Amino acid sequence: IEMKGAVLSVVPDSGIADIDEKFGKEGPWKFDICMDSMNRGSDAYVSNDKCYELMGRRMIDDILKGFNTCLFCYGQTGTGKTTTIMGDQEAGPGVLRRLLDDVFVEVTKMRANGSTVDIDIQMLEVYNEDFNDLLLEKGKKKEKITTRILPGGVTVIGATTKVVNSADECQDLIDFGNSNRTVAATAMNPQ
């Protein structure tokens, strides 16, 4: 695979017959941003810091204008989604924690200027084409979660919604939600 700017290509003649036969004629694909978090020596290498600058920070303006936002990470098992979103000791804080910290810095400023600001969060998992409500407390009745497209955007109906007043409150809910995630073996991680 080769990255040049925002273009990702499969390099033909890799010397691996199965790869050349299967992927040699695919691509190139153009994206808004291509990021390489595997090879620190790559010109396209992006740390968690840089990823937040490129993707997360620009969400703040939309959030503060009242738009719903969604941070979504998709990829194959073991490719670094959790490290990018949540962070770890080596990579530092993830995109989500940085985003939350910055949102609450701005909210504090807005409240000091007399604004009323409410922040609600939901935490969902998509598993086998169904939504799981990760903030649903044990023993509570599970609602059917649906989405509706309205003139103002997409609305999620039936999921637990929590009001939060700090990044730390959000982190506590994220930790709770993560403890409710589905854990199952796949062909990629058969353990």
PDB file of all heavy atoms in Angstrom, residues 101-131:
ATOM      1  N   ASP A 101     -12.108  17.378  26.508  1.00  0.00           N
ATOM      2  CA  ASP A 101     -11.421  18.430  27.262  1.00  0.00           C
ATOM      3  C   ASP A 101     -11.646  19.792  26.618  1.00  0.00           C
ATOM      4  O   ASP A 101     -11.972  20.768  27.302  1.00  0.00           O
ATOM      5  CB  ASP A 101      -9.917  18.135  27.368  1.00  0.00           C
ATOM      6  CG  ASP A 101      -9.598  16.995  28.328  1.00  0.00           C
ATOM      7  OD1 ASP A 101     -10.444  16.662  29.185  1.00  0.00           O
ATOM      8  OD2 ASP A 101      -8.491  16.428  28.204  1.00  0.00           O
ATOM      9  N   ASP A 102     -11.500  19.876  25.297  1.00  0.00           N
ATOM     10  CA  ASP A 102     -11.668  21.159  24.600  1.00  0.00           C
ATOM     11  C   ASP A 102     -13.117  21.645  24.621  1.00  0.00           C
ATOM     12  O   ASP A 102     -13.374  22.847  24.750  1.00  0.00           O
ATOM     13  CB  ASP A 102     -11.159  21.069  23.164  1.00  0.00           C
ATOM     14  CG  ASP A 102      -9.646  21.128  23.068  1.00  0.00           C
ATOM     15  OD1 ASP A 102      -8.973  21.341  24.107  1.00  0.00           O
ATOM     16  OD2 ASP A 102      -9.110  20.954  21.954  1.00  0.00           O
ATOM     17  N   VAL A 103     -14.070  20.729  24.508  1.00  0.00           N
ATOM     18  CA  VAL A 103     -15.479  21.127  24.573  1.00  0.00           C
ATOM     19  C   VAL A 103     -15.773  21.785  25.913  1.00  0.00           C
ATOM     20  O   VAL A 103     -16.393  22.853  25.976  1.00  0.00           O
ATOM     21  CB  VAL A 103     -16.425  19.918  24.360  1.00  0.00           C
ATOM     22  CG1 VAL A 103     -17.844  20.238  24.820  1.00  0.00           C
ATOM     23  CG2 VAL A 103     -16.439  19.500  22.905  1.00  0.00           C
ATOM     24  N   PHE A 104     -15.306  21.182  26.984  1.00  0.00           N
ATOM     25  CA  PHE A 104     -15.634  21.732  28.301  1.00  0.00           C
ATOM     26  C   PHE A 104     -14.860  23.004  28.613  1.00  0.00           C
ATOM     27  O   PHE A 104     -15.346  23.843  29.377  1.00  0.00           O
ATOM     28  CB  PHE A 104     -15.514  20.660  29.385  1.00  0.00           C
ATOM     29  CG  PHE A 104     -16.698  19.728  29.363  1.00  0.00           C
ATOM     30  CD1 PHE A 104     -16.619  18.494  28.746  1.00  0.00           C
ATOM     31  CD2 PHE A 104     -17.908  20.128  29.901  1.00  0.00           C
ATOM     32  CE1 PHE A 104     -17.727  17.661  28.689  1.00  0.00           C
ATOM     33  CE2 PHE A 104     -19.027  19.301  29.850  1.00  0.00           C
ATOM     34  CZ  PHE A 104     -18.931  18.066  29.235  1.00  0.00           C
ATOM     35  N   VAL A 105     -13.707  23.215  27.997  1.00  0.00           N
ATOM     36  CA  VAL A 105     -13.027  24.513  28.119  1.00  0.00           C
ATOM     37  C   VAL A 105     -13.911  25.591  27.491  1.00  0.00           C
ATOM     38  O   VAL A 105     -14.134  26.658  28.074  1.00  0.00           O
ATOM     39  CB  VAL A 105     -11.627  24.483  27.446  1.00  0.00           C
ATOM     40  CG1 VAL A 105     -11.081  25.891  27.250  1.00  0.00           C
ATOM     41  CG2 VAL A 105     -10.652  23.648  28.268  1.00  0.00           C
ATOM     42  N   GLU A 106     -14.428  25.308  26.312  1.00  0.00           N
ATOM     43  CA  GLU A 106     -15.290  26.271  25.616  1.00  0.00           C
ATOM     44  C   GLU A 106     -16.607  26.477  26.351  1.00  0.00           C
ATOM     45  O   GLU A 106     -17.112  27.602  26.449  1.00  0.00           O
ATOM     46  CB  GLU A 106     -15.538  25.825  24.172  1.00  0.00           C
ATOM     47  CG  GLU A 106     -14.286  25.767  23.310  1.00  0.00           C
ATOM     48  CD  GLU A 106     -13.579  27.107  23.175  1.00  0.00           C
ATOM     49  OE1 GLU A 106     -14.262  28.163  23.129  1.00  0.00           O
ATOM     50  OE2 GLU A 106     -12.338  27.110  23.129  1.00  0.00           O
ATOM     51  N   VAL A 107     -17.190  25.401  26.864  1.00  0.00           N
ATOM     52  CA  VAL A 107     -18.454  25.500  27.608  1.00  0.00           C
ATOM     53  C   VAL A 107     -18.278  26.362  28.852  1.00  0.00           C
ATOM     54  O   VAL A 107     -19.138  27.191  29.179  1.00  0.00           O
ATOM     55  CB  VAL A 107     -18.978  24.087  27.967  1.00  0.00           C
ATOM     56  CG1 VAL A 107     -20.060  24.143  29.044  1.00  0.00           C
ATOM     57  CG2 VAL A 107     -19.510  23.397  26.722  1.00  0.00           C
ATOM     58  N   THR A 108     -17.163  26.206  29.539  1.00  0.00           N
ATOM     59  CA  THR A 108     -16.888  27.021  30.723  1.00  0.00           C
ATOM     60  C   THR A 108     -16.849  28.500  30.351  1.00  0.00           C
ATOM     61  O   THR A 108     -17.427  29.345  31.053  1.00  0.00           O
ATOM     62  CB  THR A 108     -15.556  26.587  31.379  1.00  0.00           C
ATOM     63  OG1 THR A 108     -15.675  25.216  31.771  1.00  0.00           O
ATOM     64  CG2 THR A 108     -15.223  27.439  32.584  1.00  0.00           C
ATOM     65  N   LYS A 109     -16.215  28.825  29.233  1.00  0.00           N
ATOM     66  CA  LYS A 109     -16.175  30.218  28.767  1.00  0.00           C
ATOM     67  C   LYS A 109     -17.584  30.725  28.447  1.00  0.00           C
ATOM     68  O   LYS A 109     -17.946  31.854  28.798  1.00  0.00           O
ATOM     69  CB  LYS A 109     -15.306  30.337  27.506  1.00  0.00           C
ATOM     70  CG  LYS A 109     -13.833  30.122  27.737  1.00  0.00           C
ATOM     71  CD  LYS A 109     -13.101  30.195  26.399  1.00  0.00           C
ATOM     72  CE  LYS A 109     -11.663  29.754  26.492  1.00  0.00           C
ATOM     73  NZ  LYS A 109     -11.016  29.705  25.152  1.00  0.00           N
ATOM     74  N   MET A 110     -18.371  29.884  27.761  1.00  0.00           N
ATOM     75  CA  MET A 110     -19.720  30.291  27.384  1.00  0.00           C
ATOM     76  C   MET A 110     -20.600  30.533  28.612  1.00  0.00           C
ATOM     77  O   MET A 110     -21.346  31.505  28.674  1.00  0.00           O
ATOM     78  CB  MET A 110     -20.343  29.226  26.468  1.00  0.00           C
ATOM     79  CG  MET A 110     -19.659  29.131  25.108  1.00  0.00           C
ATOM     80  SD  MET A 110     -20.215  27.716  24.148  1.00  0.00           S
ATOM     81  CE  MET A 110     -21.858  28.245  23.716  1.00  0.00           C
ATOM     82  N   ARG A 111     -20.491  29.637  29.599  1.00  0.00           N
ATOM     83  CA  ARG A 111     -21.284  29.791  30.824  1.00  0.00           C
ATOM     84  C   ARG A 111     -20.858  31.033  31.591  1.00  0.00           C
ATOM     85  O   ARG A 111     -21.705  31.728  32.160  1.00  0.00           O
ATOM     86  CB  ARG A 111     -21.158  28.535  31.688  1.00  0.00           C
ATOM     87  CG  ARG A 111     -21.924  27.353  31.104  1.00  0.00           C
ATOM     88  CD  ARG A 111     -21.747  26.096  31.917  1.00  0.00           C
ATOM     89  NE  ARG A 111     -22.570  25.008  31.383  1.00  0.00           N
ATOM     90  CZ  ARG A 111     -22.332  23.729  31.586  1.00  0.00           C
ATOM     91  NH1 ARG A 111     -21.315  23.349  32.355  1.00  0.00           N
ATOM     92  NH2 ARG A 111     -23.116  22.813  31.059  1.00  0.00           N
ATOM     93  N   ALA A 112     -19.557  31.339  31.591  1.00  0.00           N
ATOM     94  CA  ALA A 112     -19.059  32.548  32.269  1.00  0.00           C
ATOM     95  C   ALA A 112     -19.611  33.811  31.613  1.00  0.00           C
ATOM     96  O   ALA A 112     -19.764  34.848  32.270  1.00  0.00           O
ATOM     97  CB  ALA A 112     -17.532  32.572  32.249  1.00  0.00           C
ATOM     98  N   ASN A 113     -19.948  33.717  30.334  1.00  0.00           N
ATOM     99  CA  ASN A 113     -20.518  34.856  29.607  1.00  0.00           C
ATOM    100  C   ASN A 113     -22.045  34.868  29.660  1.00  0.00           C
ATOM    101  O   ASN A 113     -22.681  35.615  28.919  1.00  0.00           O
ATOM    102  CB  ASN A 113     -20.045  34.848  28.155  1.00  0.00           C
ATOM    103  CG  ASN A 113     -18.588  35.212  28.030  1.00  0.00           C
ATOM    104  OD1 ASN A 113     -18.068  35.989  28.822  1.00  0.00           O
ATOM    105  ND2 ASN A 113     -17.915  34.643  27.044  1.00  0.00           N
ATOM    106  N   GLY A 114     -22.642  33.988  30.495  1.00  0.00           N
ATOM    107  CA  GLY A 114     -24.088  34.011  30.686  1.00  0.00           C
ATOM    108  C   GLY A 114     -24.884  33.037  29.846  1.00  0.00           C
ATOM    109  O   GLY A 114     -26.113  33.032  29.917  1.00  0.00           O
ATOM    110  N   SER A 115     -24.244  32.221  29.049  1.00  0.00           N
ATOM    111  CA  SER A 115     -24.971  31.253  28.217  1.00  0.00           C
ATOM    112  C   SER A 115     -25.412  30.048  29.038  1.00  0.00           C
ATOM    113  O   SER A 115     -24.756  29.665  30.009  1.00  0.00           O
ATOM    114  CB  SER A 115     -24.082  30.751  27.072  1.00  0.00           C
ATOM    115  OG  SER A 115     -23.758  31.793  26.194  1.00  0.00           O
ATOM    116  N   THR A 116     -26.508  29.463  28.635  1.00  0.00           N
ATOM    117  CA  THR A 116     -26.955  28.196  29.197  1.00  0.00           C
ATOM    118  C   THR A 116     -26.541  27.118  28.205  1.00  0.00           C
ATOM    119  O   THR A 116     -26.904  27.173  27.028  1.00  0.00           O
ATOM    120  CB  THR A 116     -28.481  28.171  29.388  1.00  0.00           C
ATOM    121  OG1 THR A 116     -28.840  29.230  30.273  1.00  0.00           O
ATOM    122  CG2 THR A 116     -28.943  26.835  29.928  1.00  0.00           C
ATOM    123  N   VAL A 117     -25.771  26.157  28.667  1.00  0.00           N
ATOM    124  CA  VAL A 117     -25.263  25.099  27.790  1.00  0.00           C
ATOM    125  C   VAL A 117     -25.584  23.756  28.423  1.00  0.00           C
ATOM    126  O   VAL A 117     -25.261  23.518  29.589  1.00  0.00           O
ATOM    127  CB  VAL A 117     -23.730  25.218  27.588  1.00  0.00           C
ATOM    128  CG1 VAL A 117     -23.235  24.124  26.665  1.00  0.00           C
ATOM    129  CG2 VAL A 117     -23.351  26.590  27.057  1.00  0.00           C
ATOM    130  N   ASP A 118     -26.255  22.901  27.672  1.00  0.00           N
ATOM    131  CA  ASP A 118     -26.550  21.538  28.117  1.00  0.00           C
ATOM    132  C   ASP A 118     -25.825  20.571  27.198  1.00  0.00           C
ATOM    133  O   ASP A 118     -25.855  20.734  25.969  1.00  0.00           O
ATOM    134  CB  ASP A 118     -28.049  21.252  28.054  1.00  0.00           C
ATOM    135  CG  ASP A 118     -28.843  22.125  29.013  1.00  0.00           C
ATOM    136  OD1 ASP A 118     -28.384  22.308  30.158  1.00  0.00           O
ATOM    137  OD2 ASP A 118     -29.912  22.629  28.604  1.00  0.00           O
ATOM    138  N   ILE A 119     -25.197  19.562  27.771  1.00  0.00           N
ATOM    139  CA  ILE A 119     -24.517  18.540  26.981  1.00  0.00           C
ATOM    140  C   ILE A 119     -25.073  17.185  27.388  1.00  0.00           C
ATOM    141  O   ILE A 119     -25.047  16.808  28.553  1.00  0.00           O
ATOM    142  CB  ILE A 119     -22.993  18.581  27.189  1.00  0.00           C
ATOM    143  CG1 ILE A 119     -22.443  19.937  26.742  1.00  0.00           C
ATOM    144  CG2 ILE A 119     -22.327  17.437  26.425  1.00  0.00           C
ATOM    145  CD1 ILE A 119     -20.966  20.095  26.928  1.00  0.00           C
ATOM    146  N   ASP A 120     -25.598  16.482  26.396  1.00  0.00           N
ATOM    147  CA  ASP A 120     -26.132  15.131  26.577  1.00  0.00           C
ATOM    148  C   ASP A 120     -25.262  14.174  25.775  1.00  0.00           C
ATOM    149  O   ASP A 120     -24.808  14.521  24.673  1.00  0.00           O
ATOM    150  CB  ASP A 120     -27.554  15.019  26.014  1.00  0.00           C
ATOM    151  CG  ASP A 120     -28.526  16.013  26.616  1.00  0.00           C
ATOM    152  OD1 ASP A 120     -28.287  16.470  27.740  1.00  0.00           O
ATOM    153  OD2 ASP A 120     -29.525  16.321  25.942  1.00  0.00           O
ATOM    154  N   ILE A 121     -25.054  12.979  26.315  1.00  0.00           N
ATOM    155  CA  ILE A 121     -24.307  11.990  25.551  1.00  0.00           C
ATOM    156  C   ILE A 121     -25.059  10.661  25.511  1.00  0.00           C
ATOM    157  O   ILE A 121     -25.867  10.359  26.396  1.00  0.00           O
ATOM    158  CB  ILE A 121     -22.870  11.767  26.081  1.00  0.00           C
ATOM    159  CG1 ILE A 121     -22.877  11.152  27.473  1.00  0.00           C
ATOM    160  CG2 ILE A 121     -22.081  13.062  26.053  1.00  0.00           C
ATOM    161  CD1 ILE A 121     -21.504  10.657  27.901  1.00  0.00           C
ATOM    162  N   GLN A 122     -24.782   9.918  24.472  1.00  0.00           N
ATOM    163  CA  GLN A 122     -25.231   8.547  24.314  1.00  0.00           C
ATOM    164  C   GLN A 122     -24.005   7.746  23.896  1.00  0.00           C
ATOM    165  O   GLN A 122     -23.068   8.295  23.309  1.00  0.00           O
ATOM    166  CB  GLN A 122     -26.298   8.435  23.221  1.00  0.00           C
ATOM    167  CG  GLN A 122     -27.567   9.198  23.521  1.00  0.00           C
ATOM    168  CD  GLN A 122     -28.520   9.199  22.336  1.00  0.00           C
ATOM    169  OE1 GLN A 122     -28.122   9.281  21.186  1.00  0.00           O
ATOM    170  NE2 GLN A 122     -29.807   9.117  22.641  1.00  0.00           N
ATOM    171  N   MET A 123     -24.009   6.458  24.184  1.00  0.00           N
ATOM    172  CA  MET A 123     -22.897   5.605  23.769  1.00  0.00           C
ATOM    173  C   MET A 123     -23.487   4.309  23.238  1.00  0.00           C
ATOM    174  O   MET A 123     -24.109   3.544  23.979  1.00  0.00           O
ATOM    175  CB  MET A 123     -21.944   5.339  24.930  1.00  0.00           C
ATOM    176  CG  MET A 123     -20.677   4.611  24.539  1.00  0.00           C
ATOM    177  SD  MET A 123     -19.549   4.555  25.951  1.00  0.00           S
ATOM    178  CE  MET A 123     -18.246   3.535  25.287  1.00  0.00           C
ATOM    179  N   LEU A 124     -23.288   4.092  21.950  1.00  0.00           N
ATOM    180  CA  LEU A 124     -23.873   2.934  21.281  1.00  0.00           C
ATOM    181  C   LEU A 124     -22.784   2.061  20.672  1.00  0.00           C
ATOM    182  O   LEU A 124     -21.713   2.543  20.315  1.00  0.00           O
ATOM    183  CB  LEU A 124     -24.822   3.386  20.166  1.00  0.00           C
ATOM    184  CG  LEU A 124     -25.936   4.336  20.568  1.00  0.00           C
ATOM    185  CD1 LEU A 124     -26.677   4.828  19.334  1.00  0.00           C
ATOM    186  CD2 LEU A 124     -26.893   3.664  21.527  1.00  0.00           C
ATOM    187  N   GLU A 125     -23.127   0.803  20.525  1.00  0.00           N
ATOM    188  CA  GLU A 125     -22.276  -0.148  19.829  1.00  0.00           C
ATOM    189  C   GLU A 125     -23.125  -0.740  18.708  1.00  0.00           C
ATOM    190  O   GLU A 125     -24.301  -1.048  18.916  1.00  0.00           O
ATOM    191  CB  GLU A 125     -21.856  -1.241  20.813  1.00  0.00           C
ATOM    192  CG  GLU A 125     -21.186  -2.438  20.186  1.00  0.00           C
ATOM    193  CD  GLU A 125     -20.922  -3.530  21.216  1.00  0.00           C
ATOM    194  OE1 GLU A 125     -21.893  -4.043  21.818  1.00  0.00           O
ATOM    195  OE2 GLU A 125     -19.745  -3.848  21.414  1.00  0.00           O
ATOM    196  N   VAL A 126     -22.550  -0.879  17.528  1.00  0.00           N
ATOM    197  CA  VAL A 126     -23.218  -1.596  16.455  1.00  0.00           C
ATOM    198  C   VAL A 126     -22.608  -2.989  16.438  1.00  0.00           C
ATOM    199  O   VAL A 126     -21.397  -3.146  16.267  1.00  0.00           O
ATOM    200  CB  VAL A 126     -23.024  -0.908  15.083  1.00  0.00           C
ATOM    201  CG1 VAL A 126     -23.719  -1.699  13.990  1.00  0.00           C
ATOM    202  CG2 VAL A 126     -23.529   0.519  15.127  1.00  0.00           C
ATOM    203  N   TYR A 127     -23.447  -3.996  16.672  1.00  0.00           N
ATOM    204  CA  TYR A 127     -22.970  -5.368  16.735  1.00  0.00           C
ATOM    205  C   TYR A 127     -23.973  -6.258  16.009  1.00  0.00           C
ATOM    206  O   TYR A 127     -25.161  -6.242  16.335  1.00  0.00           O
ATOM    207  CB  TYR A 127     -22.813  -5.818  18.193  1.00  0.00           C
ATOM    208  CG  TYR A 127     -22.211  -7.191  18.328  1.00  0.00           C
ATOM    209  CD1 TYR A 127     -20.841  -7.383  18.188  1.00  0.00           C
ATOM    210  CD2 TYR A 127     -23.012  -8.301  18.571  1.00  0.00           C
ATOM    211  CE1 TYR A 127     -20.283  -8.633  18.292  1.00  0.00           C
ATOM    212  CE2 TYR A 127     -22.462  -9.560  18.683  1.00  0.00           C
ATOM    213  CZ  TYR A 127     -21.101  -9.720  18.549  1.00  0.00           C
ATOM    214  OH  TYR A 127     -20.550 -10.968  18.638  1.00  0.00           O
ATOM    215  N   ASN A 128     -23.504  -6.987  15.009  1.00  0.00           N
ATOM    216  CA  ASN A 128     -24.376  -7.839  14.194  1.00  0.00           C
ATOM    217  C   ASN A 128     -25.596  -7.062  13.677  1.00  0.00           C
ATOM    218  O   ASN A 128     -26.727  -7.517  13.765  1.00  0.00           O
ATOM    219  CB  ASN A 128     -24.822  -9.084  14.964  1.00  0.00           C
ATOM    220  CG  ASN A 128     -23.721 -10.090  15.123  1.00  0.00           C
ATOM    221  OD1 ASN A 128     -22.760 -10.109  14.347  1.00  0.00           O
ATOM    222  ND2 ASN A 128     -23.830 -10.939  16.129  1.00  0.00           N
ATOM    223  N   GLU A 129     -25.321  -5.857  13.185  1.00  0.00           N
ATOM    224  CA  GLU A 129     -26.339  -5.001  12.564  1.00  0.00           C
ATOM    225  C   GLU A 129     -27.372  -4.445  13.543  1.00  0.00           C
ATOM    226  O   GLU A 129     -28.368  -3.862  13.127  1.00  0.00           O
ATOM    227  CB  GLU A 129     -27.060  -5.727  11.414  1.00  0.00           C
ATOM    228  CG  GLU A 129     -26.142  -6.350  10.378  1.00  0.00           C
ATOM    229  CD  GLU A 129     -25.235  -5.347   9.690  1.00  0.00           C
ATOM    230  OE1 GLU A 129     -25.687  -4.230   9.405  1.00  0.00           O
ATOM    231  OE2 GLU A 129     -24.068  -5.691   9.444  1.00  0.00           O
ATOM    232  N   ASP A 130     -27.167  -4.621  14.840  1.00  0.00           N
ATOM    233  CA  ASP A 130     -28.075  -4.070  15.845  1.00  0.00           C
ATOM    234  C   ASP A 130     -27.336  -3.061  16.709  1.00  0.00           C
ATOM    235  O   ASP A 130     -26.125  -3.141  16.886  1.00  0.00           O
ATOM    236  CB  ASP A 130     -28.611  -5.185  16.769  1.00  0.00           C
ATOM    237  CG  ASP A 130     -29.623  -6.075  16.073  1.00  0.00           C
ATOM    238  OD1 ASP A 130     -30.435  -5.555  15.280  1.00  0.00           O
ATOM    239  OD2 ASP A 130     -29.605  -7.291  16.334  1.00  0.00           O
ATOM    240  N   PHE A 131     -28.101  -2.122  17.282  1.00  0.00           N
ATOM    241  CA  PHE A 131     -27.538  -1.168  18.231  1.00  0.00           C
ATOM    242  C   PHE A 131     -27.596  -1.763  19.637  1.00  0.00           C
ATOM    243  O   PHE A 131     -28.615  -2.333  20.031  1.00  0.00           O
ATOM    244  CB  PHE A 131     -28.358   0.135  18.258  1.00  0.00           C
ATOM    245  CG  PHE A 131     -28.219   0.980  17.040  1.00  0.00           C
ATOM    246  CD1 PHE A 131     -29.300   1.188  16.195  1.00  0.00           C
ATOM    247  CD2 PHE A 131     -27.017   1.601  16.744  1.00  0.00           C
ATOM    248  CE1 PHE A 131     -29.177   1.996  15.087  1.00  0.00           C
ATOM    249  CE2 PHE A 131     -26.889   2.414  15.635  1.00  0.00           C
ATOM    250  CZ  PHE A 131     -27.970   2.606  14.797  1.00  0.00           C
TER     251      PHE A 131
END
